[in-house]
Amino acid sequence: MIVVIISKFVWGIEFSFHPAFLVPILLESLGMYGIGLIVAGIAIYFKRTGTIVFLIQTALLFVTDTVPTSDAILKITHYIPLTRCNEILRQIAVGGEYTGMLPGLCIVALVWLVIGSVFFDVMLKQAKKRGNLLFY
C-alpha cells in the first residue's frame, strides 16, 4: 500500500483495481492455506523447519511460473493454486476470457485445502503420540 501511495504522489502513476480480482485471489488463498497446513504439520512433527521451509520456498519459486522454466515443469504447476491464480489474473488484466479457468482453480484449491487439513490433523496426532508437543 505504501508503494502505491508513493508511486501516486511522486511519479503520478495511476492504479486501478478490478473487482474480478477478488474471487481468484480468495480461492488461491484457500489452496495456499492448505499447503501452509502441510508445512505446519511437518513443523509440529519434526520441530525443525528451517531447511524444509527453504526447500518448499525454492520449489515454489521455480514451479509457480515466477521464474520461466521448462515446459515439463510448467505442466506440473497447474496443480498449484498460485500458478492457476496468476494465469487468471493475467487474463483479467488484459481483458481476456477467464471464467472457464475458475472451476479448475476452485477444484485445485479445494483439494489442497482438504489434503492440508487431513495431513495437519494426522501430524498433530502423531506429535501428541510421540510427546513432541511437551517440549514447545
Side-chain angles (χ1 to χ4, degrees):
M1 185 67 169
I2 293 173
V3 173
V4 171
I5 293 170
I6 291 172
S7 298
K8 171 125 175 92
F9 291 115
V10 174
W11 296 291
I13 296 174
E14 291 293 326
F15 288 94
S16 63
F17 179 78
H18 197 287
F21 285 158
L22 287 177
V23 172
I25 289 174
L26 290 174
L27 289 172
E28 176 264 338
S29 297
L30 288 174
M32 294 307 287
Y33 180 73
I35 293 174
L37 285 173
I38 292 171
V39 173
I42 293 170
I44 285 176
Y45 188 76
F46 293 109
K47 293 173 51 174
R48 291 201 172 104
T49 60
T51 306
I52 295 170
V53 170
F54 175 73
L55 291 173
I56 292 171
Q57 285 176 339
T58 304
L60 285 175
L61 177 67
F62 288 103
V63 298
T64 56
D65 202 19
T66 304
V67 177
T69 55
S70 70
D71 289 335
I73 293 176
L74 290 177
K75 290 179 183 177
I76 297 170
T77 64
H78 290 285
Y79 299 106
I80 299 174
L82 184 60
T83 305
R84 285 186 178 259
C85 182
N86 287 344
E87 291 174 5
I88 293 171
L89 295 179
R90 283 185 198 125
Q91 289 299 318
I92 293 171
V94 299
E97 176 58 36
Y98 65 92
T99 55
M101 301 164 81
L102 284 174
L105 175 61
C106 190
I107 291 168
V108 168
L110 183 62
V111 166
W112 276 108
L113 185 61
V114 169
I115 290 172
S117 298
V118 170
F119 185 82
F120 181 79
D121 188 48
V122 168
M123 295 304 270
L124 183 62
K125 288 177 183 174
Q126 291 296 320
K128 286 179 182 179
K129 193 181 291 185
R130 284 180 49 181
N132 286 1
L133 295 179
L134 299 176
F135 301 110
Y136 278 98

